Amino acid sequence: MEGTCIRWSSKVGFWVFKCGCVVDACEVFEEAEEGGSCDYDTYNAMIDGFASAERSEDAFLMFRDMQKGSFGPTEVTFVSVMSSCLSLRAGCQARAQAIKMGFVGCVAVNNAMMTMYSGFGEVNEVQNIFEGMEERDVVSWNIMVSTFLQENLEEEAMLSYLKMRREGIEPDEFTYGSLLLASDSLQVVEMIHSLLCKGGLVKIEVLNALVSAYCRHGNIKRAFQIFFGVPSKNLISWNIIMSGFLMNGHPLQGLEQFSALLSIQVKPNSYSLSLVLSICSSMSAVSHGKQVHGYILRHGFPSEVSLGNALVTMYAKCGSLDKALRVFDAMVERDTISWNAMISAYAQHGQGEEAVHCFEVMQTSPGIKPDQATFTSVLSACSHAGLVDDGIHILDTMVKVYGFVPSVDHFSCIVDLLGQSGYLDEAERSLFSACAAHGNLRLGRTVARLILERDHNNPSVYVLLSNICAAAGQWEEAANLGDTMREFGTTNKNTKFSPP
């Protein structure tokens, strides 16, 4: 009987993990259940399989069925269940059950609990579990460090790391990778670099994280020194240094690294090619961009949406709108970014009406929904082309149809559009009314600044802004604006300030 159970659990594991076919795994499980051959391992394989396939409800149902039968949950069961919790309530229930069944001292279960609570941003709960653990391993400490980092508590993360070292737990690549990825301080990066040199941890994952951290903090020279010294670079290493040169304003060196990558017979992936296309865009290097396009077609990447998007952007920024349109039309699949790229291409080339038409077609495309960037691009196109009616209609659509709150960029486009077209008074009224309607004082201040840049001595701006301040409950600021209005001599019966 025991051998039969092992065979059934192995079959379930094969279909779930090797083939990724949960349906077939379910059929195998049902056969085992009907034949009375289920055991702990069979149930655990199914729960873990459901969790891996992100079918959390099925994982919990299997967990309940396991409890109803003669099989109590094991350590492996709770680790899998914790990883599949879609709600904090479900996680709390699973935790209570684990405590009830005596798993409170199990390191793996406690680590799973911490990970679950961390996913819901429950820092205090993570700390409570961590501090209550009699035994901790490197995973426990890593969870604590990463939890602090994801909540932007960098100082607490560093203190946990130092305490980890004091207690004799040796950090691993995940520890250092987490600290380097999230650090906002170049000094912290340099400190970790020094510790790595002393400790001799030279795994490629850590070195890549270190190169990325120096790139992010603007020290591209140090980043390249480390990259150059890496003995066995992987594709991630090359992508990081190309991205680093691009973000630090050295696109030519980024292009040279792409050439070096090809020369050592390492095949780039879609991200590599997107990066080099961005480099070509920043340099307006259309000849290099065409060569990359040819590489994409020759090496089986033509259906990649991200590459189609990058090609559209590259050709548009290099002044070839026709080629951008050809790439866009040839794309088998498009996403929101694809449409945004094409609308931006029209805007960059001063073809406002085409940009508006593209936006209209986008709205009728199945499964495609405009985002904030879409409206920035199309409003910018309207501004440059002087399309007042279209611009106002699109802003109205943005708010009323899609429910977006206009940002500073959107307001700026409308101010420019109405101002250039001689409708500055209308701009003031409409934009300030929008700010007041949404209770957005920050945007109101920004709009006021934009208008005052055009018209330094416009007292009506202060009147409107004071009312927005009052609506937001900022009475002191409203009073100060009232003083400013009096300096202009505007406090009279026609511009009387009154709180809403």
Side-chain angles (χ1 to χ4, degrees):
M1 180 68 176
E2 184 179 348
T4 304
C5 291
I6 292 172
R7 286 197 297 274
W8 282 113
S9 61
S10 298
K11 284 184 179 180
V12 170
F14 171 80
W15 285 111
V16 174
F17 299 111
K18 302 295 184 185
C19 301
C21 186
V22 178
V23 174
D24 288 333
C26 289
E27 291 178 359
V28 173
F29 177 82
E30 287 173 5
E31 286 183 50
E33 195 173 33
E34 289 172 3
S37 301
C38 285
D39 66 350
Y40 296 102
D41 292 332
T42 316
Y43 274 104
N44 286 339
M46 285 302 299
I47 292 169
D48 196 44
F50 282 132
S52 301
E54 298 183 354
R55 291 176 57 169
S56 301
E57 291 184 9
D58 290 323
F60 263 89
L61 288 172
M62 187 64 65
F63 175 58
R64 288 175 184 171
D65 289 343
M66 185 180 189
Q67 291 176 286
K68 289 177 184 177
S70 56
F71 304 105
T74 65
E75 174 184 324
V76 175
T77 312
F78 280 110
V79 170
S80 298
V81 167
M82 291 291 176
S83 68
S84 66
C85 293
L86 285 177
S87 69
L88 182 58
R89 181 182 177 186
C92 291
Q93 290 174 346
R95 180 191 179 189
Q97 189 72 8
I99 293 171
K100 181 180 178 181
M101 299 189 68
F103 287 96
V104 70
C106 176
V107 176
V109 173
N110 281 322
N111 288 345
M113 288 180 188
M114 289 168 65
T115 302
M116 180 271 295
Y117 279 115
S118 178
F120 292 107
E122 296 288 332
V123 181
N124 291 336
E125 288 295 337
V126 177
Q127 281 184 283
N128 290 338
I129 295 169
F130 180 80
E131 289 168 4
M133 292 171 69
E134 294 182 5
E135 182 185 350
R136 306 182 187 110
D137 60 11
V138 66
V139 176
S140 314
W141 287 96
N142 285 344
I143 294 167
M144 198 68 253
V145 169
S146 63
T147 299
F148 282 132
L149 290 173
Q150 76 183 20
E151 298 298 322
N152 297 317
L153 300 170
E154 188 175 347
E155 185 177 343
E156 287 83 348
M158 284 303 301
L159 289 172
S160 291
Y161 162 75
L162 294 172
K163 188 176 179 182
M164 173 186 188
R165 295 295 300 266
R166 285 197 300 271
E167 294 194 8
I169 302 295
E170 191 63 31
D172 61 10
E173 60 270 22
F174 184 86
T175 318
Y176 288 116
S178 298
L179 289 167
L180 289 167
L181 182 66
S183 177
D184 290 328
S185 167
L186 180 58
Q187 287 182 325
V188 171
V189 173
E190 290 171 339
M191 182 192 76
I192 293 172
H193 187 186
S194 177
L195 290 168
L196 289 170
C197 291
K198 291 176 183 176
L201 185 58
V202 291
K203 288 189 176 182
I204 187 64
E205 295 85 0
V206 178
L207 293 173
N208 285 343
L210 190 59
V211 172
S212 179
Y214 275 120
C215 288
R216 198 172 65 252
H217 288 285
N219 195 335
I220 189 64
K221 183 177 180 180
R222 179 68 64 86
F224 186 67
Q225 287 173 344
I226 298 167
F227 168 81
F228 189 77
V230 174
S232 301
K233 302 176 183 69
N234 59 19
L235 183 56
I236 295 172
S237 313
W238 289 95
N239 287 346
I240 288 170
I241 199 63
M242 286 191 291
S243 175
F245 277 122
L246 176 61
M247 77 168 69
N248 284 281
H250 303 286
L252 183 59
Q253 287 87 338
L255 197 59
E256 289 172 353
Q257 293 310 307
F258 179 70
S259 298
L261 167 67
L262 295 179
S263 70
I264 61 170
Q265 304 300 309
V266 175
K267 186 178 180 181
N269 59 11
S270 296
Y271 180 67
S272 317
L273 295 165
S274 295
L275 272 175
V276 75
L277 287 170
S278 296
I279 289 170
C280 293
S281 298
S282 69
M283 298 168 61
S284 295
V286 69
S287 60
H288 291 299
K290 286 179 179 177
Q291 290 177 29
V292 177
H293 191 180
Y295 182 94
I296 290 169
L297 295 174
R298 289 194 305 273
H299 290 82
F301 290 99
S303 60
E304 292 276 354
V305 178
S306 62
L307 291 179
N309 297 343
L311 283 166
V312 170
T313 300
M314 185 274 295
Y315 279 123
K317 288 189 175 180
C318 291
S320 185
L321 181 60
D322 288 344
K323 284 190 172 64
L325 183 57
R326 257 182 260 155
V327 171
F328 180 79
D329 287 339
M331 291 176 70
V332 177
E333 184 182 347
R334 303 183 188 114
D335 58 14
T336 299
I337 297 172
S338 315
W339 289 94
N340 290 353
M342 199 62 237
I343 292 169
S344 293
Y346 281 126
Q348 290 162 21
H349 288 262
Q351 299 194 21
E353 291 182 0
E354 287 79 359
V356 171
H357 176 69
C358 188
F359 170 70
E360 291 170 347
V361 175
M362 175 187 186
Q363 292 180 90
T364 63
S365 299
I368 301 295
K369 184 180 178 181
D371 59 13
Q372 295 268 15
T374 312
F375 288 101
T376 301
S377 296
V378 72
L379 287 172
S380 176
C382 291
S383 175
H384 291 146
L387 303 175
V388 176
D389 291 340
D390 287 322
I392 292 173
H393 172 71
I394 288 168
L395 184 67
D396 191 58
T397 300
M398 174 185 175
V399 175
K400 293 182 179 177
V401 177
Y402 293 100
F404 289 123
V405 176
S407 70
V408 173
D409 289 338
H410 302 128
F411 279 138
S412 181
C413 288
I414 292 295
V415 167
D416 286 340
L417 172 61
L418 296 177
Q420 290 170 13
S421 304
Y423 293 97
L424 193 56
D425 289 341
E426 183 176 338
E428 292 173 16
R429 288 195 301 273
S430 62
L431 296 180
F432 274 113
S433 295
C435 290
H438 293 290
N440 198 323
L441 178 57
R442 185 179 67 85
L443 285 176
R445 292 191 186 108
T446 303
V447 173
R449 178 179 56 77
L450 290 169
I451 295 175
L452 287 170
E453 284 176 0
R454 295 177 177 277
D455 188 357
H456 300 290
N457 298 315
N458 189 337
S460 65
V461 174
Y462 297 98
V463 178
L464 293 165
L465 184 56
S466 69
N467 281 281
I468 295 173
C469 290
Q474 299 294 318
W475 299 103
E476 185 176 348
E477 186 172 349
N480 291 336
L481 286 163
D483 293 338
T484 304
M485 285 186 279
R486 277 187 286 278
E487 291 177 13
F488 279 106
T490 60
T491 307
N492 54 46
K493 63 180 181 180
N494 295 322
T495 57
K496 184 179 179 182
F497 168 74
S498 58

